[in-house]
């Protein structure tokens, strides 16, 4: 199987744990610097844009990185059908580059500052996500209606568009593969279950072909059971049970592993 | 009757956000070499009744740390923000459609000022662009718009119209760098 390139823009800070989580699933991953653009499409079979604060979020989160030459390479990779996953700041870069939603070659959406009626600015918490009619590679491991917990941590994570109706279209076309929900799977409508006020409660948006996914929550921070807080239903219970038995079980797959494994399976299967 | 005051905040040390934006436009936009300088200010516009609020505003700005970091910012309080900064050829005002910063500032200031005089706070980021002398006056507006407004990854940088509103003012007599 090909190697997964985890792209390190200046200021991102999740590249190491993202690559480690991929390797933990048995796949190959390398951290790639943003200014290393030659031969990428020959060496790598898929790309992850990890979380962090590229260029210190100057002007708008992700917008400076979206102008880097390596993004043109990513666009070519996307056109070839190679899988690309943007996590948090990586999602912001994909949206500012116009790769997601990707209906046209234009920037069709934004990740606006959180709006939840409770607090402004940066917010981090665990949220519930529901897999929802995905046309994307996430369907490799997540069936429709599956509910998983995951941490989010951002200030600008509200998927919006000047024309909110386009998000209705995205939902109908399966381009919103993950939506914020209540623990029972009901789509979230208010804080804290809906942490940022995103249209269609979107936690992730894909391109029409489904090979590019931008998601705000952090699967690499939930890749192992030991990363899951005790109080998270089901997963926390499982962790506590393992602590009382074999502690090595703490390194069993957490809920975020499903997202990363879905991406790796897409890479393994080749272009979509 | 309602009155207004504006607080203008700028960096008295290097503004790295403006520097990064300037370098990105100059190096990534196909006409970026026509941008000579880019500067930035933050403008807060306060609407209020009575006299209690304006009498305390300077003190509130200095002490509250809501608007300025005294280590790097300077500020001025004026009746109206100025569009005539001599170095600018064009001014782009950017406002988030949902002005969370303004609403938050009003909430905080009302508590600090202990007065209900304050009725509205609006926050804007204001960009001042000076263009190369070669830019024809009739091209200034379209060029500045292409520098400022994000339609694709190849053009504007300062405004994402999916959540931000903007306005453009070409400063009379200062098109390009001719002033």
């Amino acid at each position: 199987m090909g190697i997964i390139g985890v792209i390190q823009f200046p200021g991102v800070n999740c590249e190491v744990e993202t690559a480690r989580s991929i390797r933990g699933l048995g796949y190959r991953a390398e951290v790639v610097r943003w200014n290393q653009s030659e031969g990428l499409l020959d060496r790598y079979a898929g790309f992850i844009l990890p979380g962090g604060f590229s260029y210190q979020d100057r002007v708008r989160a992700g917008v400076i990185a979206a102008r880097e030459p390596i993004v043109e390479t990513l666009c070519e990779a996307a056109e070839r059908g190679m899988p690309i996953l943007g996590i948090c700041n990586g999602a912001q870069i994909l949206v500012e580059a116009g790769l997601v939603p990707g209906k046209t070659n234009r920037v069709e959406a934004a990740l606006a500052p959180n709006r939840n009626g409770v607090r402004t600015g940066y917010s981090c918490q665990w949220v519930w996500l529901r897999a929802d009619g995905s046309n994307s590679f996430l369907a490799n491991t997540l069936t429709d209606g599956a509910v998983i917990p995951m941490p989010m941590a951002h200030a600008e994570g509200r998927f919006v568009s000047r024309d909110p109706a386009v998000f209705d279209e995205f939902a109908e076309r399966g381009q919103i593969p993950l939506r914020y929900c209540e623990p029972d799977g009901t789509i979230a409508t208010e804080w804290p279950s809906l942490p940022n006020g995103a249209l269609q409660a979107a936690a992730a948006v894909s391109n029409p072909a489904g090979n590019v996914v931008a998601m705000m929550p952090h699967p690499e921070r939930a890749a192992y059971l030991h990363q899951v807080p005790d109080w998270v239903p089901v997963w926390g219970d499982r962790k506590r049970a393992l602590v009382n038995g074999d502690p090595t079980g703490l390194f069993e797959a957490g809920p975020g592993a499903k997202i990363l494994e879905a991406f790796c399976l897409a890479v393994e299967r080749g272009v979509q | 009757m309602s009155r207004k005051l504006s607080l203008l905040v700028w960096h008295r040390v290097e503004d790295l956000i403006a520097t990064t934006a300037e370098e990105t436009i100059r190096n990534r936009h196909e006409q970026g070499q026509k941008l000579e300088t880019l500067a930035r200010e933050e403008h807060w516009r306060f609407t209020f009744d009575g006299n209690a609020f304006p009498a305390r505003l300077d003190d509130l700005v200095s002490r509250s740390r809501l608007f300025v970091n005294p280590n790097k910012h300077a500020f001025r309080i004026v009746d109206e923000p100025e569009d005539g900064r001599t170095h600018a050829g064009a001014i782009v005002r950017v406002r988030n459609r949902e002005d969370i910063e303004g609403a938050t500032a009003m909430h905080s200031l009302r508590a600090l000022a202990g007065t209900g005089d304050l009725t509205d706070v609006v926050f804007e980021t204001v960009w001042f662009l000076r263009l190369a002398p070669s830019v024809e006056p009739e091209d200034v507006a379209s060029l500045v718009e292409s520098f400022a407004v994000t339609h694709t990854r190849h053009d504007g940088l300062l405004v994402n119209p999916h959540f931000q509103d903007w306005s453009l003012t070409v400063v009379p007599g200062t098109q390009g760098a001719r002033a």
Side-chain angles (χ1 to χ4, degrees):
Chain A
M1 183 194 131
I3 306 170
I4 293 164
V6 180
I7 299 175
Q8 179 190 30
F9 287 98
V12 306
N13 56 17
C14 298
E15 71 278 11
V16 171
E17 63 186 300
T18 300
R20 184 175 56 205
S21 300
I22 295 291
R23 292 181 198 120
L25 292 167
Y27 297 89
R28 298 168 69 194
E30 291 179 356
V31 174
V32 185
R33 289 170 70 87
W34 86 104
N35 56 357
Q36 172 192 334
S37 56
E38 284 188 18
L40 292 182
L41 299 183
D42 296 327
R43 179 163 180 80
Y44 299 105
F47 297 96
I48 298 180
L49 282 66
F53 304 87
S54 61
Y55 293 95
Q56 215 176 32
D57 284 351
R58 291 177 188 176
V59 184
R60 283 193 310 279
V63 72
I64 303 294
R67 267 59 176 178
E68 289 289 353
I70 196 172
V71 173
E72 297 304 319
T73 305
L74 292 176
C75 291
E76 190 180 338
E79 284 176 15
R80 292 187 187 184
M82 294 169 73
I84 298 174
L85 173 63
I87 300 169
C88 196
N89 189 231
Q92 293 161 335
I93 295 168
L94 292 178
V95 168
E96 287 285 355
L99 273 165
V100 169
K103 183 177 159 191
T104 65
N105 199 28
R106 299 171 69 80
V107 175
E108 301 163 298
L111 282 157
N114 300 344
R115 187 195 64 195
N116 55 41
V118 177
R119 58 181 295 170
T120 60
Y122 180 83
S123 177
C124 63
Q125 64 185 73
W126 278 70
V127 290
W128 291 93
L129 305 175
R130 190 179 91 177
D132 215 45
S134 175
N135 73 339
S136 77
F137 57 72
L138 294 184
N140 288 340
T141 56
L142 293 170
T143 54
D144 266 10
V147 175
I148 52 174
M150 205 162 292
M152 55 73 69
H154 57 248
E156 299 170 28
R158 177 165 51 106
F159 277 106
V160 293
S161 171
R162 187 164 37 188
D163 177 10
V166 302
F167 270 73
D168 300 338
E169 293 174 23
F170 296 151
E172 287 171 15
R173 289 202 294 258
Q175 280 185 253
I176 305 182
L178 295 172
R179 300 170 76 184
Y180 297 105
C181 69
E182 304 293 341
D184 67 1
T186 307
I187 296 301
T189 56
E190 59 185 21
W191 187 88
S193 299
L194 179 59
N196 52 31
L199 290 174
Q200 287 283 347
V205 173
S206 71
N207 68 344
N211 63 314
V212 184
V213 173
M215 64 179 294
M216 290 309 299
H218 284 265
E220 82 284 5
R221 296 182 190 175
Y224 299 100
L225 270 185
H226 71 79
Q227 294 172 299
V228 182
D230 288 358
W231 50 263
V232 174
V234 182
W235 294 88
D237 297 341
R238 190 180 303 171
K239 186 180 89 169
R240 281 201 303 276
L242 285 165
V243 168
N244 292 329
D246 175 11
T248 60
L250 292 173
F251 285 89
E252 286 189 5
K258 287 186 176 295
I259 304 286
L260 300 172
E261 187 179 12
F263 173 79
C264 293
L265 287 170
V267 172
E268 193 171 51
R269 290 169 187 169
V271 297
Q272 295 200 331
Chain B
M1 181 182 162
S2 291
R3 296 166 56 198
K4 292 182 190 297
L5 281 177
S6 288
L7 168 67
L8 320 183
V9 181
W10 66 95
H11 279 66
R12 54 190 176 83
V13 295
E14 182 77 21
D15 181 352
L16 295 175
I17 292 176
T19 301
T20 301
E22 180 183 309
E23 289 178 355
T24 302
I25 292 172
R26 196 174 289 142
N27 293 316
R28 304 293 184 220
H29 191 286
E30 65 175 0
Q31 298 188 77
Q33 294 306 312
K34 295 178 180 174
L35 177 65
E36 285 212 331
T37 63
L38 179 65
R40 182 181 67 118
E41 288 185 359
E42 293 181 343
H43 289 189
W44 301 84
R45 185 171 294 201
F46 307 104
T47 305
F48 56 92
D49 298 313
N51 296 316
F53 177 75
R56 292 210 55 200
L57 182 57
D58 191 274
D59 185 53
L60 285 170
V61 171
S62 301
R63 291 172 180 269
S64 71
R65 303 288 190 268
L66 288 173
F67 308 101
V68 299
N69 175 341
N71 293 319
K72 62 179 182 181
H73 292 135
F75 72 92
R76 202 151 45 97
I77 297 168
V78 298
D79 289 334
E80 283 293 326
E82 304 153 19
D83 282 344
R85 279 175 47 143
T86 53
H87 72 266
I91 299 172
V92 177
R93 297 181 174 278
V94 183
R95 184 186 301 181
N96 288 1
R97 211 160 285 140
E98 294 167 62
D99 187 4
I100 296 168
E101 291 89 348
T104 304
M106 185 166 80
H107 179 79
S108 301
L109 276 178
R110 275 182 161 175
L112 286 168
T115 168
D117 287 359
L118 189 63
T119 57
D120 192 30
V121 180
V122 173
F123 173 71
E124 290 179 332
T125 302
V126 185
W127 298 91
F128 300 88
L129 296 90
R130 182 180 173 92
L131 305 178
S134 59
V135 178
E136 295 297 329
E138 60 271 24
D139 296 333
V140 169
S142 61
L143 182 61
V144 170
E145 181 175 339
S146 79
F147 286 160
V149 184
T150 301
H151 297 300
T152 75
R153 64 180 171 277
H154 303 296
D155 56 24
L157 189 71
L158 311 178
V159 185
N160 185 324
H162 291 289
F163 77 101
Q164 293 175 310
D165 293 324
W166 60 282
S167 65
L168 165 63
T169 305
V170 177
V171 179
T174 62
Q175 285 95 335
R178 289 172 180 159

